[in-house]
Amino acid sequence: MDEAVERRRFLGLTAAAAALGLTATVAGCGSLGGDSGDVTLRLVAAEYDLTGGDSTKKYWTDLVAAFEAQHPGVKIEIQVESWDDVDRKVAEMVAAGNAPDIAQIGAYADYADAGKLYAADEILSIPVQANFLAPLVAAGESKRTQYGLPFVASTRPLFYNEDLFDQAGLKAPKTWAELAAAAEKLKDDGVPTPFALPLGPEEAQAETLMWLLSGGGGWTDATDHYVVDSDANVRTFEWLRTNLVGKGLTGPVAPGKLNRKAAFAAFARGEVGMLNGHPSLVKEAAKKGVKVGQVPLPGADGTPKSSMGVADWIMGFKQNGHRKEIGDFLNFVFSDENVLKFAGDNDLLPVTVSASTRMETDPEYANLREFLKGLPNAQLPPVGKTSWAKVSENVKQNIGKAVAPGAKPAEVLAAIGRAATAAEAAE
């Protein structure tokens, strides 16, 4: 999904509505208006099932059936599209004047900027709106108003191969220096890729943000303006170039050519000592006998103040004027039972405070707790800026150059930063 996140895509739900508790209503939600007669809503949603199955469609079908049973005047048509197509297809619908009523996709900012979306406080009850985790609310805001409603979230801790670490007599690193020393030892032990650094075009913007945050920087400053070539960001990339890439610790493929998918596959084969991981990799590695250790990505001098988070979004379009019905449905979507089951069964994180609290204490979700720890203090990419899509694409294509042999990180970051500032001025 995000990354919107890397197009990380996950396994879907298969249980029936009754078993999931999908008929649960949101306490205190109520209705956003009176009975307005028969209404049909169109929902376009992203496919989360990587196996080629129909589990995502089944999830929405079961949820919609439960909702319609409680709202006999409302029908919902469901259209599930792959992550390769869903954002484009929704954009085409909107451009053709045929917007869906609800879209669960990867980005919302352009639609919010064009005045096409309902604000959160126009469609959600106060209890539901107040229940979102604070970092996700902030990421869902465009010009200080929330339009993007977080649907699922994820964080990215450091993964390490426990067997390789045990064989090398290593402990999980807590600082950059310890990380580099561990990578050196793994290299001496013959590990092909001591640390996988995927700065290729698949999802380089996310990998980069993880490192920027661990170095005390980020994409934007406190006023939400781009600071791509800040001193902290330059220092981070100088460290990566000198201490990891320059010492041959990032494997046989140059970071600028290495994509996340390939890095994850190599980790699952036991060829990678460490990388910044994603929940979907835990099960994949376990299937192939790789034991995964998880710790926060080390900072320059210890655990950084914040880690990277990503989210996928759901939103209501104004075009057809179905504010009340859209709101009733979305309030239903965000019940604890629905949020927790979809997130947990897809190895993702819930987006609400109450569902997160339940996940923290439920043994069923023990494998997600390390990811959950980072979410309250997570920082997301600046997805509320309409310029971010262009900036993100520039990063994907060029950030790998900053760690290439003989590169000057300050120059690469400055070039990206100038383009970002220009894109921001055009917002």
Side-chain angles (χ1 to χ4, degrees):
M1 344 212 61
D2 271 136
E3 97 353 44
V5 279
E6 25 150 32
R7 303 288 63 111
R8 59 255 166 233
R9 304 293 62 133
F10 326 92
L11 302 176
L13 281 166
T14 54
L20 298 184
L22 291 176
T23 57
T25 56
V26 182
C29 279
S31 175
L32 293 175
D35 185 6
S36 58
D38 291 344
V39 168
T40 297
L41 302 179
R42 287 193 304 132
L43 164 68
V44 179
E47 175 62 74
Y48 284 74
D49 192 333
L50 288 180
T51 68
D54 63 352
S55 56
T56 300
K57 180 68 176 286
K58 178 166 173 51
Y59 166 77
W60 285 114
T61 299
D62 290 343
L63 187 147
V64 163
F67 174 80
E68 290 177 349
Q70 296 185 15
H71 299 80
V74 183
K75 301 296 180 184
I76 300 177
E77 296 176 351
I78 305 163
Q79 180 178 343
V80 176
E81 300 284 351
S82 75
W83 273 105
D84 291 338
D85 300 324
V86 67
D87 288 306
R88 174 181 56 80
K89 289 196 174 184
V90 169
E92 290 172 350
M93 292 176 191
V94 174
N98 189 31
D101 296 284
I102 302 165
Q104 189 273 297
I105 52 178
Y108 68 87
D110 285 344
Y111 303 123
D113 189 61
K116 296 183 181 297
L117 300 181
Y118 288 113
D121 60 8
E122 294 180 290
I123 51 177
L124 296 182
S125 70
I126 291 174
V128 170
Q129 191 178 359
N131 198 24
F132 291 126
L133 290 160
L136 305 180
V137 173
E141 291 181 346
S142 179
K143 298 177 181 176
R144 300 186 182 277
T145 298
Q146 185 183 2
Y147 295 96
L149 313 179
F151 180 66
V152 284
S154 179
T155 57
R156 308 290 176 85
L158 176 73
F159 282 11
Y160 62 95
N161 184 313
E162 289 188 348
D163 288 339
L164 294 179
F165 264 59
D166 288 345
Q167 292 166 17
L170 294 169
K171 294 182 179 179
K174 296 181 179 180
T175 66
W176 283 359
E178 290 179 3
L179 186 152
E184 290 267 22
K185 183 65 169 63
L186 292 169
K187 181 182 179 182
D188 291 343
D189 285 0
V191 176
T193 302
F195 192 100
L197 184 65
L199 295 177
E202 180 186 350
E203 206 195 20
Q205 83 289 355
E207 182 73 18
T208 299
L209 180 55
M210 289 181 252
W211 282 101
L212 298 185
L213 292 172
S214 73
W219 290 125
T220 56
D221 61 16
T223 63
D224 200 34
H225 292 299
Y226 290 113
V227 286
V228 177
D229 61 338
S230 68
D231 290 346
N233 292 350
V234 171
R235 284 195 299 269
T236 293
F237 267 82
E238 287 178 341
W239 187 89
L240 288 171
R241 181 204 58 190
T242 302
N243 294 281
L244 291 185
V245 183
K247 293 183 178 179
L249 302 177
T250 52
V253 180
K257 302 289 186 182
L258 181 64
N259 281 327
R260 185 187 68 99
K261 183 177 181 180
F264 280 15
F267 185 88
R269 293 193 302 267
E271 299 169 3
V272 174
M274 297 175 280
L275 50 61
N276 293 323
H278 179 280
S280 63
L281 181 55
V282 176
K283 284 185 178 179
E284 189 62 29
K287 288 178 187 176
K288 299 184 177 181
V290 173
K291 296 179 182 178
V292 181
Q294 302 176 41
V295 291
L297 177 62
D301 300 308
T303 304
K305 294 180 181 178
S306 60
S307 60
M308 189 194 75
V310 292
D312 296 328
W313 306 96
I314 193 166
M315 62 213 70
F317 281 85
K318 290 181 176 180
Q319 180 179 317
N320 300 317
H322 297 147
R323 182 186 70 85
K324 172 198 174 298
E325 293 81 8
I326 291 171
D328 286 346
F329 180 68
L330 290 175
N331 283 323
F332 185 81
V333 167
F334 287 114
S335 69
D336 271 2
E337 289 78 10
N338 297 340
V339 170
L340 189 62
K341 287 299 293 183
F342 190 85
D345 288 0
N346 287 285
D347 289 326
L348 292 168
L349 303 181
V351 296
T352 63
V353 174
S354 54
S356 295
T357 300
R358 288 173 59 173
M359 181 176 275
E360 285 176 352
T361 57
D362 191 331
E364 180 181 354
Y365 305 112
N367 64 317
L368 292 173
R369 285 179 186 160
E370 192 62 47
F371 299 95
L372 201 60
K373 287 178 184 177
L375 194 54
N377 296 316
Q379 183 172 322
L380 280 74
V383 292
K385 298 170 74 66
T386 56
S387 58
W388 174 241
K390 183 179 291 185
V391 174
S392 176
E393 186 60 30
N394 190 359
V395 173
K396 290 179 183 179
Q397 299 301 323
N398 292 300
I399 196 66
K401 299 173 184 176
V403 295
K408 295 182 178 179
E411 293 180 357
V412 176
L413 291 172
I416 296 172
R418 286 192 296 272
T421 300
E424 182 177 53
E427 286 184 321

